[in-house]
Amino acid sequence: MGTLRPAAAVVCLFVGFVHAADCPFTTGSGESALRQARPRLQIAQRLSTLEAAFARRAVMPAAAPAIPRRNVIDVEIFNTLAAHNVTPAALSTDQEFVRRIYLDLTGRIPSPDDVRNFLANGSPGRRDDLIDRLIYSPEFEDRWIMWLGDLLQNASAATNVNRRVGGRDAFYNWIKGSVVANKSLKEIAHEAIAATGNSFDVRTGAANFAVSATTPMGPVQDMYDTMLVRTATAFMGLAYYDCLLCHGGRGHLDQISLWGSRTTRGEAQQMAAFFSRMRIRRDAAAQGEPLYNSYNVTNAPSGTYDLNTNYGNRPNRTPLGNVSNLTPQYRLGGTPAAGANWREAFAAEMTADPMFARNIVNRLWKHFFGLALVDPVDTLDPARLDPSNPPPEPWTLQATHPELLEQLARELTRGGFNLREIVRTITASSAYQLSSRYSGEWKYSSVPLFARHYPRRLEAEEVADAISKATGVMGNYNIGWANPVSWAMQLPETGVPRGAVGNFLDSFFRGNRDTRPRSQSGSILQQLNLMNDTFVLNRIRVSASPTLQAVSRLAGDGAAVDEMFLLFLSRYPDDYERGQAMEYLRKAASPAARNAAIEDLAWACVNKVDFLFSY
């Protein structure tokens, strides 16, 4: 196939050629290049058009009246829909569900055998059985190690501090060990907040969370503030502490946070005071020694949050009346016992705070539903969340489903903050299993009601791993001092690998766990990479791909087409797609031509819109 010039491909996309079908702007000369490009482009045009991307389904969803209410999620979602006179979508088909659940729980698409076996399973509990199997799979561990790595912002280098590869790996291995051991989310949070030790030591990898509080160009109080901001944002959804540690909320947060508008700078500093005995120092190891450039995190026997600064990253800290040294006081009133470890005391107060459970379930809801109950997830307002204690007018309850947020938080707490159990509760609900296809009139006002499942664009690692799994051509990702890994979902941070593969992943907005968060946005570059990048083109060659070689040996064009769709799209083709693809394969007059046609069909499947989405 002639390679598309980027500018020409942009033109094709804007004028409606979803995969640049029939676009004449190819490299090479004249008719020769056009003849090279046309077969692959034509089959892509036939198999995928923008307006039909999600319209064609091999099996129509079940009728809406059959939707059961399976747990507290369904009671709240479907009662709210009824109150708004909005009809929910039908339940997803088994083909929709199997792809969705594999991607959401493991970050990887199912194999053709996974799909076939699930569709052939006549058990009424087959969906629950699949969920149970997946949440105890190694692939589940990879996916949620990545999720926690994003939450805790594990990266070798960030704006304020360079953990180095040694720190990143120790942090990663601690996260991995925590997920594999099924530690509770409460334990994970507590260890991250209170850990001490060397940042390169695999036994004390959790100390790397504190290392990221390092704040140059200022007094030590800036570090205490940063530790509070990072902790409150990740574990309580309270990013507004970053504002409150510069000034009181009154006059600044009045329009966006009722809780924030009532909180003073002094109260925020009393929260930061829990970290005023934390010390972060470079290890004394010389260059060439194993701990060179590592950090040691310790606790001092004494210390307070002193109001005595006139430089740094925040406004001057001056005495509050006669008070010039602050000791810890938690936002709900708790103070450390005499002789207590202050960071340990903070971790205990925070994990008992209702905001901890609310934040966790809100973030998990975002992962599974695409839209959080409170979105953005780090803007929770403690004064507007409790439906039994609503805020004064004109304020309203913040969550789209206040009772549901509270009930999920209670479920998480009662279950001992077990990640797998709360994930099982969410994914077993009928609300999660609704179809993304909606037969009625869809209105923007229905979006926060979750009347349908919202398709999401695959994350960068999911795209790469879907291509690798479908083709059987695995990665060999060099990540520094650690051994290479085969799956993008096993990468210890979003900054690796470097080079061409890294650029491919970056085009899908994987972020850097520092200043650039992940994004689900689309881009023209993403489409160009799926069409032309060597990451794709080298894997869809029959000579390189064991799965495509197996397809080439199948007897009958129909069997080959079915296998291709199962490999890349986790579903059978509909009648139209099967007919077009079989017609294309039948034109192959030799084994070499058939292999070329199979490569073209693989390319077309990768470039179908539904390949890029979980729906």
Side-chain angles (χ1 to χ4, degrees):
M1 173 187 163
T3 303
L4 293 174
R5 295 193 186 106
V10 169
V11 172
C12 294
L13 287 164
F14 272 115
V15 298
F17 297 114
V18 179
H19 301 285
D22 291 339
C23 176
F25 300 103
T26 52
T27 58
S29 59
E31 263 324 293
S32 174
L34 186 57
R35 280 195 301 271
Q36 284 182 305
R38 185 168 287 147
R40 189 167 287 176
L41 296 173
Q42 285 178 338
I43 189 63
Q45 182 189 38
R46 291 178 182 181
L47 293 181
S48 182
T49 60
L50 186 61
E51 58 273 11
F54 294 111
R56 295 195 186 99
R57 298 291 165 86
V59 182
M60 293 294 290
I67 298 174
R69 299 191 180 195
R70 308 193 66 198
N71 55 32
V72 295
I73 294 173
D74 296 335
V75 172
E76 290 298 326
I77 291 294
F78 295 126
N79 282 354
T80 301
L81 287 170
H84 287 79
N85 199 28
V86 175
T87 302
L91 282 176
S92 57
T93 67
D94 282 346
Q95 285 192 141
E96 290 173 320
F97 175 78
V98 69
R99 176 181 168 87
R100 181 191 304 172
I101 199 67
Y102 267 85
L103 282 167
D104 285 354
L105 292 187
T106 73
R108 299 180 199 167
I109 57 175
S111 70
D113 282 345
D114 292 330
V115 177
R116 278 189 288 259
N117 292 339
F118 183 73
L119 297 181
N121 185 348
S123 166
R126 60 188 176 278
R127 295 193 180 193
D128 289 343
D129 292 342
L130 180 56
I131 292 169
D132 287 341
R133 181 165 65 82
L134 291 179
I135 63 176
Y136 288 101
S137 67
E139 293 80 8
F140 178 91
E141 293 167 359
D142 290 342
R143 180 68 193 88
W144 293 89
I145 292 165
M146 179 69 72
W147 187 84
L148 281 168
D150 286 348
L151 180 68
L152 301 178
Q153 295 182 282
N154 182 20
S156 56
T159 302
N160 286 346
V161 65
N162 191 338
R163 276 195 194 96
R164 312 285 173 174
V165 172
R168 178 205 69 189
D169 287 351
F171 202 9
Y172 173 84
N173 285 323
W174 170 75
I175 295 170
K176 179 178 180 178
S178 298
V179 174
V180 171
N182 204 23
K183 280 184 188 175
S184 74
L185 293 164
K186 181 177 180 179
E187 288 179 277
I188 291 171
H190 194 288
E191 290 180 23
I193 293 166
T196 58
N198 184 271
S199 63
F200 284 11
D201 191 329
V202 294
R203 298 167 298 179
T204 56
N208 280 279
F209 184 75
V211 168
S212 63
T214 303
T215 310
M217 307 296 291
V220 69
Q221 289 92 329
D222 284 355
M223 181 183 71
Y224 310 151
D225 288 353
T226 300
M227 185 64 174
L228 173 63
V229 170
R230 288 180 56 79
T231 301
T233 301
F235 296 123
M236 294 193 287
L238 299 178
Y240 291 132
Y241 271 114
D242 205 14
C243 305
L244 295 168
L245 287 162
C246 286
H247 49 69
R250 184 177 180 182
H252 296 275
L253 298 174
D254 296 16
Q255 303 301 312
I256 54 178
S257 174
L258 178 58
W259 162 80
S261 69
R262 295 172 172 176
T263 303
T264 67
R265 186 186 187 194
E267 290 168 336
Q269 290 169 331
Q270 285 182 297
M271 286 280 281
F274 279 95
F275 305 106
S276 60
R277 294 181 177 179
M278 180 176 72
R279 300 292 181 265
I280 303 173
R281 299 283 188 271
R282 288 273 193 188
D283 193 277
Q287 187 170 359
E289 295 181 1
L291 298 183
Y292 176 64
N293 273 328
S294 67
Y295 291 89
N296 288 318
V297 180
T298 60
N299 291 316
S302 62
T304 56
Y305 189 105
D306 300 332
L307 303 175
N308 62 352
T309 66
N310 58 10
Y311 75 103
N313 298 280
R314 298 190 185 273
N316 295 344
R317 298 172 180 88
T318 57
L320 299 171
N322 295 325
V323 178
S324 57
N325 309 98
L326 296 177
T327 54
Q329 181 170 329
Y330 195 75
R331 71 176 198 90
L332 299 178
T335 57
N341 177 311
W342 284 2
R343 281 199 288 154
E344 292 274 2
F346 182 91
E349 292 278 0
M350 188 204 74
T351 53
D353 188 333
M355 292 305 300
F356 176 66
R358 288 166 174 164
N359 168 68
I360 294 296
V361 296
N362 191 53
R363 289 178 182 272
L364 290 173
W365 190 271
K366 172 90 170 184
H367 174 82
F368 288 107
F369 285 82
L371 178 71
L373 296 170
V374 177
D375 212 315
V377 293
D378 58 359
T379 61
L380 296 181
D381 186 344
R384 299 172 56 208
L385 294 176
D386 186 356
S388 65
N389 184 28
E393 293 183 354
W395 294 93
T396 58
L397 288 167
Q398 189 182 24
T400 59
H401 297 72
E403 289 284 356
L404 178 56
L405 182 62
E406 295 301 287
Q407 290 193 55
L408 284 174
R410 287 193 290 269
E411 286 278 324
L412 179 66
T413 304
R414 281 195 297 264
F417 295 91
N418 185 297
L419 171 64
R420 287 173 172 84
E421 291 304 315
I422 193 66
V423 164
R424 178 191 281 115
T425 297
I426 292 172
T427 54
S429 69
S430 293
Y432 169 77
Q433 296 181 22
L434 292 178
S435 176
S436 59
R437 180 172 179 169
Y438 193 77
S439 57
E441 180 186 0
W442 185 253
K443 299 179 181 178
Y444 181 76
S445 59
S446 298
V447 169
L449 300 179
F450 302 101
R452 66 191 297 182
H453 191 83
Y454 303 133
R456 68 170 177 86
R457 200 213 72 216
L458 301 189
E459 293 182 355
E461 296 84 356
E462 293 173 318
V463 175
D465 286 349
I467 294 168
S468 291
K469 187 168 184 178
T471 60
V473 183
M474 303 310 301
N476 185 35
Y477 302 121
N478 188 344
I479 55 176
W481 297 343
N483 293 327
V485 297
S486 299
W487 298 96
M489 197 57 74
Q490 295 173 329
L491 293 170
E493 64 169 311
T494 57
V496 292
R498 315 290 184 194
V501 174
N503 292 337
F504 178 84
L505 291 167
D506 287 341
S507 72
F508 292 93
F509 303 133
R510 58 180 175 157
N512 64 0
R513 291 182 172 174
D514 181 27
T515 55
R516 295 195 313 274
R518 284 187 184 273
S519 170
Q520 295 295 309
S521 298
S523 74
I524 291 173
L525 181 58
Q526 292 168 12
Q527 297 299 321
L528 292 175
N529 279 343
L530 290 176
M531 287 190 286
N532 295 315
D533 195 90
T534 55
F535 186 92
V536 179
L537 299 183
N538 289 346
R539 282 169 168 78
I540 63 170
R541 299 185 193 283
V542 171
S543 60
S545 168
T547 61
L548 296 186
Q549 290 166 19
V551 169
S552 72
R553 293 192 293 268
L554 289 173
D557 293 334
V561 170
D562 285 352
E563 190 70 7
M564 292 290 287
F565 271 73
L566 288 169
L567 279 168
F568 289 93
L569 303 174
S570 314
R571 64 175 177 84
Y572 286 99
D574 64 23
D575 291 342
Y576 173 84
E577 291 166 329
R578 182 180 285 107
Q580 293 295 317
M582 288 177 63
E583 177 186 345
Y584 190 72
L585 289 179
R586 278 196 295 267
K587 294 178 179 178
S590 67
R594 181 177 171 80
N595 284 349
I598 288 172
E599 292 174 355
D600 289 346
L601 183 56
W603 183 88
C605 285
V606 169
N607 282 276
K608 279 180 67 65
V609 176
D610 47 329
F611 174 81
L612 196 56
F613 283 82
S614 171
Y615 53 85

